[in-house]
Amino acid sequence: MKKFRGVFLKNEKEIGLIREANRIVSRILDELGENVKPGVSTMFFEDICQARCKELNVRPAFMGYGGFPYALCCSVNEEIVHGFPSKDRILQEGDIVSFDMGVVYKGFYGDSARTFAVGQVSPEAQKLMDVTRESLHIGIEQAVPGNNLYDISAAIQSYVEGFGFGIVRRFVGHGIGSHLHEKPEIPNFVPKGMTGVPLKAGMVLAIEPMVTVGSYEVEILDDKWTAVTKDRGLSAHFEHTIAVTSDGPRILSLSD
């Protein structure tokens, strides 16, 4: 493993292990999505994550990380990220729910997130999810050697704001590998007065736009973890882990 401006560059073997970690995450997210429906408690999804990690002999990446008490971040409606699963939180028709999940496989991390509709949702909620998902892929397209990190940020910001949605500033993407959070940070907007890192083959990045219907301002609830929109508007979250390669970006967090 080499370093470039403080960023770890991974070789093909390391990228392969990160790919396997993310394949497992993607399989778990597939199963979570298949079970999203009205009347289900959010703790049900935590139970799935715990069971699959045990079966596949991987460690939940988030459980215990900084004191986070669950394997799954489960965020409903105005909750942006880091929401707690709960037996008392029952999904309702028209909700949207975001799942952020990670595992550790042979010392390397996988990390991915998706937002799902619960039954029939409003046109506004559907548009929010569609734009957030598409902004992620538009950002990934910029992850090529020779580009700047902020080319990813600019592509996401331009697309999202073109639809009148907000981009959360408080939480950003990150490098990933043998640690869950590595350099560089990957904002979904272009910070003023900052210079981004040149992209180089071997970088592995977790890109994760978090998009809001209204203001992008954030509030943290009393549990010290759950982040919600300050105006309580809806929020969506999609994330892929990708490798920057000489042949272009390679999405690692896909199922078989």
Side-chain angles (χ1 to χ4, degrees):
M1 189 182 295
K2 299 178 181 178
K3 262 191 172 185
F4 172 74
R5 297 196 178 183
V7 178
F8 289 110
L9 302 180
K10 282 76 175 180
N11 58 38
E12 280 300 317
K13 180 180 179 181
E14 291 162 338
I15 290 173
L17 291 168
I18 298 169
R19 159 64 179 146
E20 181 60 21
N22 277 282
R23 186 183 68 83
I24 291 168
V25 172
S26 184
R27 285 175 56 191
I28 293 171
L29 289 176
D30 287 344
E31 184 175 355
L32 298 185
E34 290 166 1
N35 284 279
V36 170
K37 60 184 177 181
V40 178
S41 82
T42 56
M43 185 58 74
F44 177 73
F45 303 102
E46 169 73 10
D47 292 341
I48 290 174
C49 291
Q50 294 276 6
R52 296 300 166 265
C53 286
K54 186 174 182 180
E55 288 172 10
L56 297 168
N57 197 30
V58 294
R59 179 166 62 84
F62 301 164
M63 181 168 261
Y65 187 83
F68 190 78
Y70 299 101
L72 178 69
C73 294
C74 183
S75 307
V76 182
N77 294 336
E78 75 279 1
E79 296 171 352
I80 301 166
V81 71
H82 303 154
F84 284 6
S86 170
K87 292 180 180 178
D88 298 325
R89 185 66 185 262
I90 308 299
L91 294 181
Q92 306 292 325
E93 182 85 16
D95 286 344
I96 62 174
V97 57
S98 299
F99 298 130
D100 190 359
M101 172 65 184
V103 305
V104 187
Y105 171 80
K106 294 187 177 180
F108 286 87
Y109 283 78
D111 187 7
S112 187
R114 302 179 201 168
T115 300
F116 296 93
V118 183
Q120 294 294 317
V121 300
S122 69
E124 181 180 55
Q126 188 62 55
K127 189 69 173 178
L128 173 69
M129 291 189 294
D130 292 344
V131 168
T132 308
R133 184 191 304 107
E134 185 61 22
S135 76
L136 171 59
H137 289 282
I138 286 172
I140 289 171
E141 289 174 358
Q142 298 299 316
V144 296
N147 271 5
N148 187 285
L149 179 74
Y150 290 161
D151 289 329
I152 299 172
S153 308
I156 293 172
Q157 181 175 14
S158 176
Y159 187 77
V160 168
E161 292 183 344
F163 288 90
F165 292 131
I167 299 169
V168 172
R169 266 70 169 166
R170 184 159 178 176
F171 303 104
V172 298
H174 51 91
I176 186 169
S178 58
H179 297 85
L180 179 58
H181 293 107
E182 298 180 353
K183 291 182 179 180
E185 289 191 342
I186 310 160
N188 301 300
F189 61 97
V190 180
K192 293 181 180 179
M194 300 289 287
T195 303
V197 176
L199 295 177
K200 193 172 179 68
M203 289 182 176
V204 178
L205 311 173
I207 303 171
E208 50 179 327
M210 301 173 200
V211 178
T212 63
V213 165
S215 170
Y216 59 74
E217 296 293 336
V218 172
E219 188 175 302
I220 306 299
L221 298 186
D222 290 342
D223 62 22
K224 308 300 183 185
W225 279 100
T226 306
V228 300
T229 53
K230 196 168 185 178
D231 62 6
R232 299 305 190 266
L234 292 176
S235 179
H237 177 199
F238 284 87
E239 176 184 20
H240 271 311
T241 294
I242 65 109
V244 180
T245 80
S246 57
D247 297 323
R250 186 190 311 168
I251 299 176
L252 305 179
S253 46
L254 295 174
S255 304
D256 295 328

